[in-house]
Each structure stands twice: as C-alpha cells, then as structure tokens.
Amino acid sequence: MPATWENIKKRAVIKLYAGDITDVQHHGGAIGLSLTNNDERHIKHDITQPMPLPDHSVDGYQAEDVLEHIEYDKLLGIINEIHRVLKPGATFRLSLPDYGCDILRERSVKDSFGNIIF
C-alpha cells in the first residue's frame, strides 16, 4: 500500500529520508521523499515544497547526497521546513560530498576549464 501523509502522521515514530531508498539501503523504517516513487517505502514529494505535517512531529530526517543538487536560493526554505517539522532533540543528518577529496574530484564531471559541474 502506498504511503500517504495521513498514514505517516499516525506513526509513533516518524523518520524521513530525502530521496529514493534503494533495495540495498537500510533506513530503519524511514519514508523516502521521492520525486517519482509512491509506494510502501516512499511518498511522492518535492523537498522544495512544504510538508503537510504538524510542527515538531518528525523524529528524524536524513538528507544524503541530495541538497547539493538544489538551487542555492531554495536551500534556506528547505532547511527551515526541516527545522519546523523536527521534534526538539530530533536527529537531522545532512551528508554532502566533499569535492576537496581527491577521489571525488577525479570522479566529478568537469567543464572545459576543469571546474566541477557535477
């Protein structure tokens, strides 16, 4: 059965994951906020938009290798929305790639001047 915001609101513990959760990932019951999927592990939701959840209702939110793909002018709104829904003392895990790392720098797509574009 696809996840719905109403079902999510009824959970004793609400954990959200920005993006798609793959079959090999273990996220302890988190619901993926997906641009394309809507199933038992995902709800179709654009993270640049507000979540239809009450203030201070979420126990954990994880954004792993997602926010670097969002336009800078939308980031503050996303962070504010995450802060709004998180319970006091909840966990917010933000993971971004370190393009200063030799391995990631070599794997990156670069423009003709050598600047990282992805």
Side-chain angles (χ1 to χ4, degrees), residues 15-22 25-27 30-34 41-43 45 47 58 60-66 93:
K15 293 182 182 179
L16 302 175
Y17 180 87
D20 293 333
I21 298 172
T22 67
Q25 290 174 311
H26 175 71
H27 290 291
I31 294 292
L33 304 177
S34 174
R41 295 183 308 150
H42 301 93
I43 191 162
H45 181 74
I47 65 167
V58 173
Y61 191 105
Q62 180 172 337
E64 183 176 6
D65 298 334
V66 171
R93 182 174 183 267

Side-chain angles (χ1 to χ4, degrees), residues 52-78:
L53 294 172
D55 295 356
H56 315 295
S57 61
V58 173
D59 298 277
Y61 191 105
Q62 180 172 337
E64 183 176 6
D65 298 334
V66 171
L67 295 185
E68 71 272 16
H69 300 285
I70 305 292
E71 296 88 7
Y72 288 141
D73 63 337
K74 295 181 179 180
L75 289 174
L76 183 58
I78 293 169

Side-chain angles (χ1 to χ4, degrees), residues 35-112:
L35 287 173
T36 57
N37 292 320
N38 191 37
D39 55 34
E40 64 279 349
R41 295 183 308 150
H42 301 93
I43 191 162
K44 192 170 180 182
H45 181 74
D46 179 347
I47 65 167
T48 65
Q49 300 301 310
M51 291 175 272
L53 294 172
D55 295 356
H56 315 295
S57 61
V58 173
D59 298 277
Y61 191 105
Q62 180 172 337
E64 183 176 6
D65 298 334
V66 171
L67 295 185
E68 71 272 16
H69 300 285
I70 305 292
E71 296 88 7
Y72 288 141
D73 63 337
K74 295 181 179 180
L75 289 174
L76 183 58
I78 293 169
I79 299 296
N80 284 338
E81 179 65 0
I82 293 167
H83 182 264
R84 179 189 72 76
V85 299
L86 285 176
K87 292 178 180 177
T91 300
F92 173 39
R93 182 174 183 267
L94 173 61
S95 173
L96 299 168
D98 177 4
Y99 289 109
C101 170
D102 294 346
I103 294 170
L104 286 178
R105 191 169 43 249
E106 293 306 314
R107 290 183 188 168
S108 300
V109 176
K110 300 172 188 84
D111 65 16
S112 59

